Amino acid sequence: FTGRQITGPAGTLETLPGSYLGPVIRLRRGQQVRVRFANQLGEDSIVHWHGLDVPESADGHPRLAVGRGQEYVYDFAVTNRAGTYWYHPHPHMRTGAQVYQGLAGLLLVTDADEDALALPAGEAELLCVLQDRRFDARNQFVYQGGGQMEMMNGFLGDRMLVSGQLQPTREVDAGWHRVRLLNGSNARIYKLAWSRDLPMPIIGGDGGLLERPIDQRTLTLAPGQR
């Protein structure tokens, strides 16, 4: 995915450096959104806004998929609470393959309730999309080819990527950070923990911010969960 902002608040689209993922889309509750999706693939596709409450015509149902060179226009209001959401294709029988090849991106919603908490932002906000992939001898993604069992249970990679990069490292300042996590894998379930066996305060999930933080030593994310 690539994007170009025509109008609206500055910073609505944010590109992740060195990543094949689509731009991060930052929206605000109550905002009216218009997106023009232009399909330049060699097959049908459509975009689904995962987790957002939108009209049926804006949900990206497979029957709405458009072919190469065609466009689909979305118009909807953001009604969800502040939280971490994402977008990805949703064509019939090709969703998994298109997501695997890189068609996915984070969609972050803010609102007044979140503003009042003054949560870490800017350099103190870490965006982590977790994906497992396989590479061939030419360093290209390999999808399927593992037999009937993988077709039934889901395709698993043998290399771990975070926000489109292999084993990325980043030095951060001491202090509180907000880590946003998305399991963008096709089938793999992750059990996450700090290497030093420290508790992590969980402040939100798929539905937005929790009523109060919960301290856990491990966090389990299935595909699509945030």
Side-chain angles (χ1 to χ4, degrees):
F1 284 119
T2 60
R4 180 168 61 94
Q5 183 176 342
I6 306 299
T7 61
T12 298
L13 295 185
E14 174 189 343
T15 301
L16 295 175
S19 176
Y20 58 77
L21 294 171
V24 178
I25 302 177
R26 294 183 181 269
L27 303 176
R28 190 165 184 85
R29 189 176 189 181
Q31 183 177 351
Q32 189 68 33
V33 179
R34 182 179 177 88
V35 177
R36 183 181 298 275
F37 166 62
N39 182 10
Q40 298 178 6
L41 299 175
E43 58 184 276
D44 291 355
S45 193
I46 195 71
V47 180
H48 172 65
W49 314 100
H50 195 119
L52 291 190
D53 298 320
V54 296
E56 181 270 342
S57 60
D59 190 52
H61 190 278
R63 68 177 179 79
L64 301 175
V66 296
R68 181 188 180 98
Q70 295 181 310
E71 296 184 345
Y72 192 88
V73 178
Y74 299 84
D75 276 296
F76 59 89
V78 180
T79 62
N80 291 72
R81 303 169 59 221
T84 303
Y85 307 92
W86 66 304
Y87 61 97
H88 59 78
H90 203 198
H92 184 57
M93 300 297 291
R94 290 292 293 168
T95 296
Q98 291 187 8
V99 172
Y100 190 90
Q101 293 298 330
L103 291 180
L106 285 168
L107 192 154
L108 309 179
V109 176
T110 60
D111 61 17
D113 292 338
E114 183 184 69
D115 294 343
L117 299 176
L119 296 171
E123 292 295 320
E125 181 185 56
L126 308 179
L127 307 179
C128 301
V129 180
L130 310 179
Q131 296 173 308
D132 58 332
R133 294 291 185 265
R134 292 184 196 173
F135 295 85
D136 63 16
R138 297 180 301 154
N139 208 33
Q140 301 297 303
F141 286 160
V142 175
Y143 184 66
Q144 294 299 356
Q148 189 69 24
M149 187 63 68
E150 279 193 340
M151 292 182 65
M152 295 294 294
N153 297 332
F155 186 76
L156 301 177
D158 56 10
R159 304 288 294 277
M160 183 68 200
L161 285 80
V162 179
S163 297
Q165 299 184 49
L166 281 168
Q167 300 180 331
T169 59
R170 176 175 172 181
E171 292 187 8
V172 297
D173 295 333
W176 287 102
H177 287 72
R178 181 179 188 178
V179 182
R180 293 185 186 260
L181 295 163
L182 160 66
N183 182 351
S185 299
N186 287 56
R188 188 175 296 280
I189 297 173
Y190 297 99
K191 185 176 182 180
L192 307 171
W194 299 121
S195 59
R196 296 175 59 189
D197 193 31
L198 297 173
M200 59 180 80
I202 310 300
I203 66 171
D206 290 1
L209 295 171
L210 303 178
E211 184 177 356
R212 61 181 58 87
I214 300 174
D215 282 346
Q216 296 183 189
R217 292 190 177 275
T218 62
L219 174 66
T220 302
L221 289 180
Q225 286 189 318
R226 290 86 65 205

